[in-house]
Amino acid sequence: MKTPRILASLLAFTAASFALGTRAAEAKKANAPEWAELFGGAALPVVWQSAAAASEKIDAALATKKLDGVADWAETIHLASHALEDQVKVDDAERAKRLKAAFEQAAKIADDVINAANHNEAGKAADAQRRLKSALALAKARMPKEILYAPKQETRFAKSAGHAHDEKGDH
């Protein structure tokens, strides 16, 4: 009765292979940058346009003194800032350094917007948004023109468990 032993060995080998493959996929996901889930594989114009659109949505929400969606849009800007910081290549070393710093600043300030929105502090959110727009303007001044002036793309927005948005980021 060698057949049951062969089947048992085959099953054990298959299970072990599956477990290794699952662990490898988990390890790859753990090593991926935080922005990869939203912007992995996206063209750089998509990332930039998503950040710009999210900033406009924050402005519109704050103008009505409503914070619904603001944290998600600020998270979009946070992730986009890191994605652009990691991926945009600029030949001029000084310009590249300043671009990186602008994106780092934008990501940190986006966290301030998120925090204010999560604590229902419209005034603090508006102040942080003004600073965030300045950081994005600094980055824009140093961005490659082919990213800035690319044809309009389908934008992507972060979604939290607390807010359900459609693909355009609206409720």
Side-chain angles (χ1 to χ4, degrees):
M1 288 258 161
K2 290 185 179 184
T3 305
R5 284 188 201 153
I6 293 171
L7 284 175
S9 296
L10 184 60
L11 279 172
F13 176 76
T14 303
S17 296
F18 178 74
L20 286 174
T22 301
R23 279 192 219 119
E26 289 171 358
K28 184 177 180 183
K29 187 175 183 180
N31 291 333
E34 70 175 324
W35 52 262
E37 187 173 330
L38 182 60
F39 292 118
L44 294 176
V46 170
V47 180
W48 175 254
Q49 290 174 23
S50 296
S55 183
E56 290 172 9
K57 287 181 176 293
I58 292 170
D59 285 342
L62 292 175
T64 65
K65 305 233 187 282
K66 296 196 190 252
L67 296 177
D68 291 344
V70 169
D72 291 343
W73 297 317
E75 179 66 12
T76 299
I77 296 170
H78 174 94
L79 295 172
S81 295
H82 285 306
L84 292 164
E85 175 189 349
D86 289 352
Q87 297 179 87
V88 172
K89 304 297 179 221
V90 179
D91 291 335
D92 180 291
E94 186 61 30
R95 186 173 158 209
K97 182 174 133 185
R98 290 176 187 232
L99 180 62
K100 178 180 171 53
F103 281 131
E104 287 173 352
Q105 182 182 25
K108 287 178 185 173
I109 298 170
D111 288 342
D112 294 342
V113 175
I114 293 167
N115 189 37
N118 286 338
H119 289 94
N120 205 27
E121 298 172 323
K124 285 184 179 180
D127 179 56
Q129 172 62 2
R130 280 189 291 279
R131 292 184 289 122
L132 179 55
K133 286 171 59 173
S134 293
L136 290 173
L138 286 173
K140 183 177 181 179
R142 292 167 176 84
M143 287 277 286
K145 299 214 181 307
E146 60 271 11
I147 295 172
L148 293 177
Y149 301 114
K152 188 154 176 56
Q153 308 281 319
E154 181 79 24
T155 53
R156 301 178 182 188
F157 298 101
K159 298 173 187 172
S160 70
H163 295 83
H165 297 121
D166 67 22
E167 290 179 3
K168 296 192 177 14
D170 296 325
H171 290 276

